[in-house]
């Protein structure tokens, strides 16, 4: 009997490591993980996951204990995540780009039993002082494991940690493994904290499988494009997009993950050619940087069959350049708390749908679009997306008040995301409730303004933020990246926007930039843009 794959495999297993075990038995020599010169087959990968799980059990990590990790996208990340799942622990990602106070908040909140960390990142940042300081404070008494050697006697090396697991009684360890169910917690993802300090969304096994099932709706009739696919993973490991959308989904498909510690357009092009990458995923501005790179013309990208993106809409000018090259396009929208993927494009999506909407909701969770009173809105109206279902987070860790506030009395999760409900069920993303601002008493949604600006042939991408104004309360400021070779100016852009938008939506200023500041996950850092505007205003 052939081994189940993809959707069939999802129905037959409860935990992500079980998918690895299934492929290890059926296709043991298939490549699962690539990182530089390291190549792990599914059989080798499965054995290593067991080693990590045994080491965690040997370190007295109990079911439900947290294992925190400061790590870049590399094999140790996935081995520890899946090892924790197998051992019943809960994995917590800490972004290596965090400054010390950000690390302090996450670690102080999740209270880990173990902290695992790299000693140095590819940019040369050392973590010695951070770890010493944290060990004297929020992780005092916590076991410290370091990748790449021990730290001045205050940590054990990862190799020593694994050796302890190798020496642990195998039969005793086996009684502790694979005891969790689909509704048990496996990962805590700290949200970006746009409205305050980050909160830890607790995700279950179900959240990971929801992501897979939701994305599958975009590939109906084209499932062959995902089977055994090869993908680059270079997203921050603390982000659900890295854990679930890229890595988890690839493993459920029996695919190959090529880890890359940093985002580097030239290396992505070289790696795509060398490793025959089949699905090229990322944030839209990442795709922009890759396809704008001068190496794109000389690299063989014929292995790529799918261009996938999420987190933000794809700029129309870039999609026009990619059309007609034989790519299948896959977009998705989602939230960490909602199971990562909550809407996708239909397989036959046209250009307008791909650039103007976020597709339709998936059918794994339940969804409604409601007004401020919780009443479902009619077609062509704007409302908040609310979600209910197995993909939704279990709650915010150590924060019952925030959990209660996030759900309605009848159990729907409040996303805070505003969409326009279009005929046929598709959604047009309007913006976060917290991003919407009032100008002269009128509601302005930044994404609507950005889309209008991106219709200009000379605009590659745009970001709009609200700025305080003595007359109108707030007005919009636009930051625009020009298309390659284009020459644009503020007057032209404001006139162009004025032809498409009501006057109160037209940005009062438009700044031209070669690049925009990005958050670690690749989205535009609008807080940095606000800081820039404040500095400009103060200098005047």
């Amino acid at each position: 009997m052939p081994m189940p794959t993809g959707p069939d495999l999802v129905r037959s297993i409860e935990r992500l490591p079980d998918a690895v075990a299934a492929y290890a038995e059926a296709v043991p020599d298939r490549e699962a993980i690539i990182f530089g010169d390291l190549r792990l087959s599914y059989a080798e990968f499965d054995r290593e996951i067991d080693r990590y799980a045994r080491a965690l059990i040997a370190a007295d990590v109990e079911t439900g204990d947290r294992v925190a990790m400061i790590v870049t996208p590399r094999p140790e990340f996935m081995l520890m995540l899946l090892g924790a799942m197998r051992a019943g622990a809960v994995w917590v990602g800490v972004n290596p780009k965090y400054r010390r106070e950000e690390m302090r908040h996450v670690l102080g909140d999740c209270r880990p039993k173990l902290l695992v960390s790299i000693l140095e990142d590819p940019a040369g940042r050392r973590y010695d002082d951070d770890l010493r300081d944290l060990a004297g404070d929020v992780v005092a008494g916590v076991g410290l494991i370091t990748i790449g050697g021990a730290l001045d006697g205050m940590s054990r090396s990862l190799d020593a940690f694994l050796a302890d697991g190798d020496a642990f009684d195998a039969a005793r360890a086996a009684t502790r493994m694979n005891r969790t169910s689909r509704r048990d917690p496996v990962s805590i993802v700290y949200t970006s904290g746009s409205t305050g300090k980050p909160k830890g969304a607790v995700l279950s096994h179900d959240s990971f499988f929801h992501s897979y099932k939701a994305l599958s709706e975009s590939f109906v009739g084209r499932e062959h494009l995902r089977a055994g696919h090869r993908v680059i993973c270079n997203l921050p490991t603390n982000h659900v997009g890295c854990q679930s959308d890229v890595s988890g989904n690839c493993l459920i498909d029996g695919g190959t993950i090529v880890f890359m510690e940093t985002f580097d357009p030239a290396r992505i092009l070289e790696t795509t050619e060398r490793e025959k990458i089949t699905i090229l995923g990322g944030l839209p501005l990442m795709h922009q940087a890759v396809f704008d790179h001068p190496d794109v013309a000389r690299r063989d990208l014929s292995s790529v069959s799918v261009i996938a993106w999420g987190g933000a809409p794809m700029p129309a000018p870039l999609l026009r350049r990619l059309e007609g090259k034989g790519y299948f396009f896959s977009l998705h929208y989602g939230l960490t708390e909602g199971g990562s993927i909550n809407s996708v494009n239909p397989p036959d999506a046209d250009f307008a749908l791909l650039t103007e909407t976020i597709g339709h909701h998936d059918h794994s969770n339940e969804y409604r679009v409601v007004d401020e009173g919780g009443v479902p809105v009619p077609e062509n109206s704007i409302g908040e997306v609310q979600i209910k279902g197995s993909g939704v987070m279990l709650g915010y860790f150590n924060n019952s008040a925030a959990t209660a506030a996030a759900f309605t009395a009848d159990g729907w999760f409040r996303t805070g995301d505003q969409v326009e409900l279009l005929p046929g069920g598709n959604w047009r993303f309007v913006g976060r409730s917290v991003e919407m601002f009032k100008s002269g008493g009128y509601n302005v949604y930044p994404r609507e303004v950005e889309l209008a600006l991106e219709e200009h042939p000379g605009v590659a991408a745009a970001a709009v933020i609200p700025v305080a104004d003595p007359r109108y309360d707030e007005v919009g400021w636009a930051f625009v990246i020009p298309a390659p070779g284009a020459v644009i100016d503020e007057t032209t852009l404001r006139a162009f926007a004025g032809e498409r938008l009501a006057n109160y939506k037209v940005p009062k200023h438009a700044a031209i930039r070669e690049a925009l500041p990005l958050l670690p996950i690749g989205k535009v850092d609008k807080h940095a843009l606000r800081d820039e505007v404040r500095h400009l205003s103060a200098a005047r």
Side-chain angles (χ1 to χ4, degrees), residues 494-518:
R494 294 191 68 245
F496 184 82
E499 295 172 357
R500 288 157 176 78
L501 299 168
N503 63 344
Y504 64 88
K505 298 179 184 178
V506 175
K508 295 301 182 285
H509 298 280
I512 314 301
R513 295 284 187 271
E514 291 186 3
L516 298 176
L518 300 180

Side-chain angles (χ1 to χ4, degrees), residues 90-142:
V90 180
W91 192 89
V92 184
V94 182
N95 196 319
K97 290 187 180 295
Y98 280 172
R99 309 322 297 174
R100 194 174 301 171
E101 288 309 306
E102 294 171 301
M103 292 180 178
R104 196 185 308 280
H105 168 70
V106 170
L107 294 170
D109 189 66
C110 75
R111 303 190 300 271
K113 184 73 171 283
L114 283 181
L115 172 61
V116 185
S117 178
I118 54 175
L119 287 174
E120 186 174 4
D121 69 14
R125 175 183 173 182
R126 295 286 303 183
Y127 293 86
D128 309 50
D129 290 342
D130 295 305
L131 294 173
R132 289 190 188 94
D133 182 68
L134 294 168
D137 188 3
V138 292
V139 291
V142 170

